Amino acid sequence: MAEYLIFLAISTSIFALFALGLNLQWGFTGLINFGHVAFMTLGAYTTVLLSLKGVPVLLAAVIGAVVAALLGLLIGFSTLRLREDYLAIVTIGVGELVRLILNNQDLPVGDTWISGAFGVQSYPIPLVNLQPNLFIRLVMIAVLTLVAGITFYWLWRWTRPTYAAKRVAKKQEFVSRLVVASLLGLLSAAIYISGVIGLYNYNPKAGLMLLSLVTLAFVFWRLEVLVRSPWGRVLKAIREDEEVAKALGKNVFWYKLQSLMLGGVIAGIAGAFFAWQLSAIYTDNFQPQLTFDAWIMVILGGSGNNVGTILGAVIYFAYDTLTREFLPRIFTNLTSDQLGAFRIMIIGLILMVLMIWRPQGILGKKEELTLGK
């Protein structure tokens, strides 16, 4: 059970990172990106190919994020002066273009060149060969405890009723926050206990989980600071009406470009973790479906809300786990392919109901909703 929770925590944190990048682009800036997986693909392949050349894995991941940012720069310069629908069309094409190029080109895997269709295996993974003594294990547990403590404290602060929440009109928002914080707190406690067990009896997956959670916490913290800064307020102004931002003297193109590149950086880092978790990557691992999974997480949690995006990732993977476990027991006459299609139908139905009942998502604000424009 502890190992499964560790696996689930790694998967959720990777896709929470991936979705946070999309949320910055769409939720805060209004950029419609249907090819977000391209950033993840470049981040993953750059990381593993460089690490096979002897570059330290963490430095390789940073370079992978920079390469993903350069892709954002390229896309931005070619499309951001056009209408939003052109950006959507171009990004769909770029996502598939990157995947197909990698699939049909020879890649420098170590000292040889191998066709991309064969995938990349046996690359270095951080902390996998670590054999920590008791002191190192206790330090890692202390870091996990610090992350868990900050998470609990932040959830408590986030739930506290503000002046606005005390008013009757905001009571529903306060109750929603209380329920969400309680669920996230329980989940965090379960992951913390599993992580402590995994780190004490050292399991490389627990080390990867610690690294992914620390990265997620850092990215979330910096994004929260950024979106509350003047820079973030300009992004929101562009999302609402970019003509107003232009009238105030803001360089809308430059702000959009920064948002696209920063979202690409975050997705590139998620790609590195995705590759480390899989242990072997193939181009089929980076299908367009991953982009739409991220969209589901953002829409479920509420676009323009970083907590909502993480909540969306948690709900998505909880749904994925539960349906994989219980649906085959209930519908014993269905094949695995039929069950897969059935699971997609259910999540589609949930999204349809949500868009009718609460189009802003679970934690989103209706007054900031841009879908209806």
Side-chain angles (χ1 to χ4, degrees), residues 82-252:
L82 305 174
R83 292 202 318 256
E84 290 87 352
D85 45 358
Y86 285 95
L87 176 64
I89 294 168
V90 170
T91 50
I92 290 175
V94 169
E96 273 299 88
L97 186 66
V98 169
R99 191 179 71 83
L100 292 174
I101 288 175
L102 289 170
N103 190 59
N104 292 287
Q105 290 295 319
D106 289 343
L107 302 175
V109 180
D111 297 328
T112 60
W113 289 76
I114 296 176
S115 170
F118 295 146
V120 185
Q121 306 90 23
S122 304
Y123 47 80
I125 298 173
L127 304 177
V128 73
N129 295 320
L130 183 68
Q131 294 181 341
N133 55 28
L134 180 61
F135 175 74
I136 297 296
R137 281 180 280 158
L138 290 178
V139 169
M140 296 172 83
I141 291 172
V143 173
L144 182 63
T145 305
L146 179 64
V147 173
I150 292 173
T151 302
F152 292 133
Y153 175 71
W154 191 89
L155 285 173
W156 174 72
R157 282 195 60 188
W158 183 69
T159 310
R160 279 193 312 171
T162 60
Y163 173 76
K166 287 177 181 175
R167 293 181 297 179
V168 177
K170 298 294 181 180
K171 190 174 288 183
Q172 186 181 1
E173 180 184 344
F174 171 65
V175 173
S176 301
R177 287 191 174 204
L178 188 63
V179 172
V180 169
S182 301
L183 291 174
L184 289 180
L186 286 173
L187 184 65
S188 300
I191 290 172
Y192 171 71
I193 294 170
S194 303
V196 169
I197 295 171
L199 290 172
Y200 188 79
N201 306 306
Y202 186 69
N203 175 355
K205 287 292 183 185
L208 186 59
M209 182 198 77
L210 177 64
L211 196 59
S212 63
L213 289 178
V214 169
T215 306
L216 175 62
F218 178 77
V219 170
F220 172 77
W221 169 54
R222 293 312 305 167
L223 281 178
E224 282 291 288
V225 172
L226 277 175
V227 298
R228 284 174 168 75
S229 68
W231 183 80
R233 289 194 286 275
V234 173
L235 292 189
K236 290 180 183 178
I238 292 171
R239 178 194 65 192
E240 297 303 317
D241 191 341
E242 66 178 63
E243 295 302 324
V244 173
K246 285 180 183 174
L248 293 173
K250 303 299 179 185
N251 188 334
V252 171

Side-chain angles (χ1 to χ4, degrees), residues 40-60:
M40 175 183 257
T41 310
L42 279 185
Y45 271 87
T46 305
T47 301
V48 300
L49 293 178
L50 287 178
S51 58
L52 283 170
K53 290 288 186 184
V55 178
V57 285
L58 296 183
L59 178 60

Side-chain angles (χ1 to χ4, degrees), residues 4-85:
Y4 187 72
L5 277 174
I6 289 172
F7 167 78
L8 199 59
I10 297 171
S11 301
T12 306
S13 56
I14 290 171
F15 276 87
L17 270 176
F18 185 50
L20 281 174
L22 180 65
N23 188 45
L24 178 66
Q25 296 168 345
W26 157 248
F28 288 103
T29 319
L31 300 174
I32 303 176
N33 180 1
F34 287 147
H36 199 48
V37 70
F39 301 119
M40 175 183 257
T41 310
L42 279 185
Y45 271 87
T46 305
T47 301
V48 300
L49 293 178
L50 287 178
S51 58
L52 283 170
K53 290 288 186 184
V55 178
V57 285
L58 296 183
L59 178 60
V62 172
I63 297 174
V66 172
V67 172
L70 292 176
L71 177 67
L73 183 70
L74 187 65
I75 296 172
F77 267 114
S78 57
T79 60
L80 284 180
R81 294 191 188 281
L82 305 174
R83 292 202 318 256
E84 290 87 352
D85 45 358

